[in-house]
Amino acid sequence: MNALTNTAAIDGAPPAAPAGHPAHSAHPAHAAHAAHAAHAAHIAPQAKAAEQALSKQQQRASADARREALRKGAAAFIKMIVPPLAGLVFLVLVWQFIAARNSSFPTPAVTFAEALKLFADPFYRTGPNDQGIGWNILASLQRVAIGFGLAAAVGIPLGFMIGRFKFLSGMFGPIISLLKPVSPLAWLPIGLLVFKSANPAAIWSIFICSIWPMIINTAVGVQRVPQDYMNVARVLNLSEWKIFTKILFPSVLPYMLTGVRLAIGTAWLVIVAAEMLTGGVGIGFWVWDEWNNLNVPHIIIAIVVIGVVGLLLEQLLVALAKAFTFEEVSS
């Protein structure tokens, strides 16, 4: 036996492990790798399950967030839509109640049917005094644009000067206080006397009633410019043009646009009344003509049209004011 052992040792073969003792691994790294693989195989299913649970939890959270956003959006939509609809329903019910008690007053259904016929051809023209409602609205808007534009061209610069210079403020203050409360229609005879024509007289009435809000609001805006800004301008020795473009105009713009918005509403209000008195083509004259024909449904339709056009003009100016200022102007 010893001879065989010695022979194996001489041949370079490793000696066999004694009986009862386990054989050692060929390399320690192989054992570590095997242990790491066994551990990874044990951990992998747990990690995958945890990842799936986290993914499901995120999906549930995302779905809950979407449902909450939809709920809030629906609630906001309901709050925005339901009150106006309720107001319209209330108005129609009151209208129907009045029509039921007065046979000469048209019902909402009759008025709606007449509106469909009227707006089927709003731009017909069979004569100078027989034109569709579309032409009458355009004629009124043209007068408003001319009178309002002239008022803005005069009133806004005048408001800047009144607010900038105390002498002009003291000079024009009493005049404005005296003439501002005068009814716009009281100026119509003056326009007829001076211009000898109905159309310029109506434009004159729009001009004289639109100019006061623009003058007053612009002047107030100039007077409310912080005095520190003006002191800095004096220290820097800025010219009057630089003071206007760099200090006054940006600060006064919100006030000026508020005056413009008030003036356009007043102008649209006045033109209807002025056209009733002057005649010709225009929505005011059209209302008066329909009254002479005892066509009450058309009068109601004209009232709605006048309100819608006035609302659109005001909202257009509100959007313009929001685009140029950072202040709240919709109130």
Side-chain angles (χ1 to χ4, degrees):
M1 187 68 173
N2 292 333
L4 292 174
T5 303
N6 294 333
T7 304
I10 294 173
D11 293 338
H21 292 277
H24 294 286
S25 174
H27 199 285
H30 293 166
H33 180 71
H36 179 71
H39 180 71
H42 177 71
I43 294 298
Q46 297 179 358
K48 187 175 182 181
E51 183 179 357
Q52 291 177 350
L54 180 61
S55 177
K56 291 180 180 179
Q57 185 178 2
Q58 291 176 344
Q59 290 176 358
R60 286 195 298 268
S62 178
D64 292 339
R66 285 196 298 268
R67 284 194 295 268
E68 182 65 18
L70 288 175
R71 187 187 66 80
K72 290 182 177 179
F77 180 77
I78 291 173
K79 289 181 180 179
M80 182 178 64
I81 295 298
V82 170
L85 287 179
L88 289 176
V89 170
F90 175 76
L91 178 63
V92 171
L93 290 177
V94 172
W95 182 359
Q96 181 64 41
F97 177 78
I98 296 173
R101 291 177 170 270
N102 190 343
S103 60
S104 61
F105 201 86
T107 63
V110 172
T111 306
F112 183 73
E114 287 292 326
L116 293 178
K117 296 177 184 177
L118 192 63
F119 288 103
D121 186 15
F123 292 101
Y124 76 88
R125 179 178 289 168
T126 58
N129 292 326
D130 187 12
Q131 302 182 24
I133 190 173
W135 293 118
N136 288 277
I137 294 173
L138 291 178
S140 298
L141 287 174
Q142 183 181 17
R143 294 188 184 99
V144 168
I146 296 173
F148 178 79
L150 292 173
V154 175
I156 292 175
L158 186 58
F160 271 103
M161 290 188 293
I162 291 174
R164 181 76 177 91
F165 303 106
K166 291 185 178 180
F167 177 80
L168 293 178
S169 177
M171 176 181 172
F172 285 100
I175 299 175
I176 295 173
S177 300
L178 177 66
L179 299 181
K180 184 173 69 69
V182 177
S183 171
L185 292 182
W187 295 99
L188 187 61
I190 304 298
L192 291 171
L193 177 65
V194 172
F195 299 107
K196 310 294 184 183
S197 179
N199 193 54
I203 294 174
W204 155 257
S205 298
I206 295 170
F207 168 82
I208 200 65
C209 76
S210 302
I211 195 170
W212 309 124
M214 288 187 273
I215 291 176
I216 294 171
N217 281 273
T218 304
V220 169
V222 173
Q223 292 169 354
R224 290 187 179 181
V225 173
Q227 188 61 37
D228 293 342
Y229 294 177
M230 307 307 296
N231 294 336
V232 171
R234 291 192 190 95
V235 170
L236 297 177
N237 197 23
L238 296 181
S239 65
E240 197 64 35
W241 176 251
K242 284 287 186 180
I243 293 175
F244 172 75
T245 56
K246 301 298 183 181
I247 298 177
L248 293 182
F249 186 76
S251 301
V252 176
L253 187 59
Y255 296 91
M256 185 179 70
L257 291 175
T258 299
V260 168
R261 182 163 60 92
L262 295 174
I264 194 65
T266 306
W268 184 244
L269 177 70
V270 169
I271 189 58
V272 175
E275 287 173 346
M276 286 184 178
L277 299 178
T278 58
V281 180
I283 190 65
F285 170 74
W286 192 82
V287 171
W288 194 251
D289 189 55
E290 295 302 318
W291 166 248
N292 291 331
N293 296 328
L294 295 179
N295 196 337
V296 182
H298 283 192
I299 296 174
I300 296 176
I301 293 169
I303 291 172
V304 174
V305 169
I306 292 169
V308 169
V309 173
L311 178 63
L312 291 177
L313 290 175
E314 183 177 1
Q315 292 302 314
L316 178 63
L317 289 174
V318 167
L320 181 66
K322 287 182 178 180
F324 284 96
T325 63
F326 296 100
E327 297 188 7
E328 181 62 38
V329 296
S330 60
S331 60

